[in-house]
């Protein structure tokens, strides 16, 4: 997730109006505002990663394909945004990786068939076991630095 670059001579208000909506696709509003503010001041460079396993991408693609073909009221906008990021191989930040790792709390619902509930569908949207296990491991690796 690239943070918009400050344009030469751009005022903070104008930068914030351009930056915040972009980052709100990936972060809650307050966090997006904080990141944009730090970026404007020149004190932030978020590292991002896309070395998650192909299995995570495939799980997300499968969930998206099911939703597109059959429709679904399962999940949140955040969950489907995550699925699209993973399916497209986009870079994700440490914060996003932490959210993926915390999705492990839903593991008990992972085997629910797509047609019988939301558990399996949303588990796969978040990368499935491949994605969640990668996120847990990656988070430990990042935080060791």
């Amino acid at each position: 997730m690239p943070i918009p670059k400050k344009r030469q001579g751009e005022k903070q208000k104008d930068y914030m109006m351009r930056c915040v909506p972009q980052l709100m696709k990936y972060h809650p509003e307050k966090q997006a505002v904080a990141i944009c503010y730090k970026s404007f001041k020149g004190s932030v460079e978020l590292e991002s990663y896309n070395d998650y396993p192909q299995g995570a991408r495939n799980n997300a693609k499968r969930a998206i394909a099911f939703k597109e073909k059959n429709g679904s009221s399962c999940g949140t906008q955040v969950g489907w945004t995550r699925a699209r990021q993973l399916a497209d191989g986009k870079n994700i930040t440490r914060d996003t990786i932490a959210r993926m790792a915390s999705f492990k709390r839903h593991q008990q619902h992972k085997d629910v068939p797509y047609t019988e509930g939301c558990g399996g569908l949303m588990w796969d949207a978040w990368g499935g076991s491949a994605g969640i296990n990668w996120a847990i491991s990656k988070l430990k690796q990042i935080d060791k630095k």
Side-chain angles (χ1 to χ4, degrees):
M1 170 224 35
I3 299 171
K5 299 278 186 215
K6 183 171 69 170
R7 297 175 182 153
Q8 187 172 357
E10 185 172 32
K11 295 182 179 179
Q12 181 176 344
K13 176 184 163 190
D14 296 329
Y15 175 76
M16 297 295 284
M17 290 185 68
R18 187 168 58 84
C19 177
V20 172
Q22 284 186 279
L23 292 190
M24 283 179 58
K25 296 174 188 172
Y26 308 101
H27 301 283
E29 183 177 8
K30 285 183 180 181
Q31 188 175 15
V33 169
I35 293 169
C36 290
Y37 178 78
K38 288 178 182 177
S39 177
F40 183 83
K41 297 295 184 185
S43 62
V44 68
E45 185 60 44
L46 293 180
E47 201 168 345
S48 60
Y49 311 86
N50 70 350
D51 60 333
Y52 37 86
Q54 185 64 41
R57 291 185 72 181
N58 293 343
N59 290 333
K61 287 178 185 179
R62 185 171 43 257
I64 291 168
F66 178 86
K67 182 179 181 184
E68 288 174 352
K69 181 178 179 187
N70 303 291
S72 176
S73 60
C74 293
T76 65
Q77 182 178 355
V78 171
W80 290 110
T81 297
R82 191 72 58 248
R84 180 55 56 200
Q85 288 172 317
L86 295 172
D88 293 345
K90 300 250 172 136
N91 282 19
I92 55 177
T93 63
R94 184 216 174 272
D95 181 60
T96 299
I97 294 167
R99 288 176 184 219
M100 285 178 66
S102 74
F103 204 78
K104 179 149 176 102
R105 69 188 183 278
H106 297 291
Q107 184 174 10
Q108 71 270 22
H109 305 294
K110 72 178 184 162
D111 295 325
V112 174
Y114 289 5
T115 56
E116 294 179 22
C118 297
L121 180 63
M122 294 317 299
W123 181 257
D124 283 348
W126 282 80
S129 296
I132 305 304
N133 291 335
W134 169 84
I136 292 166
S137 175
K138 188 70 172 184
L139 194 57
K140 288 176 185 174
Q141 177 188 356
I142 293 168
D143 288 348
K144 263 188 180 176
K145 286 185 182 180

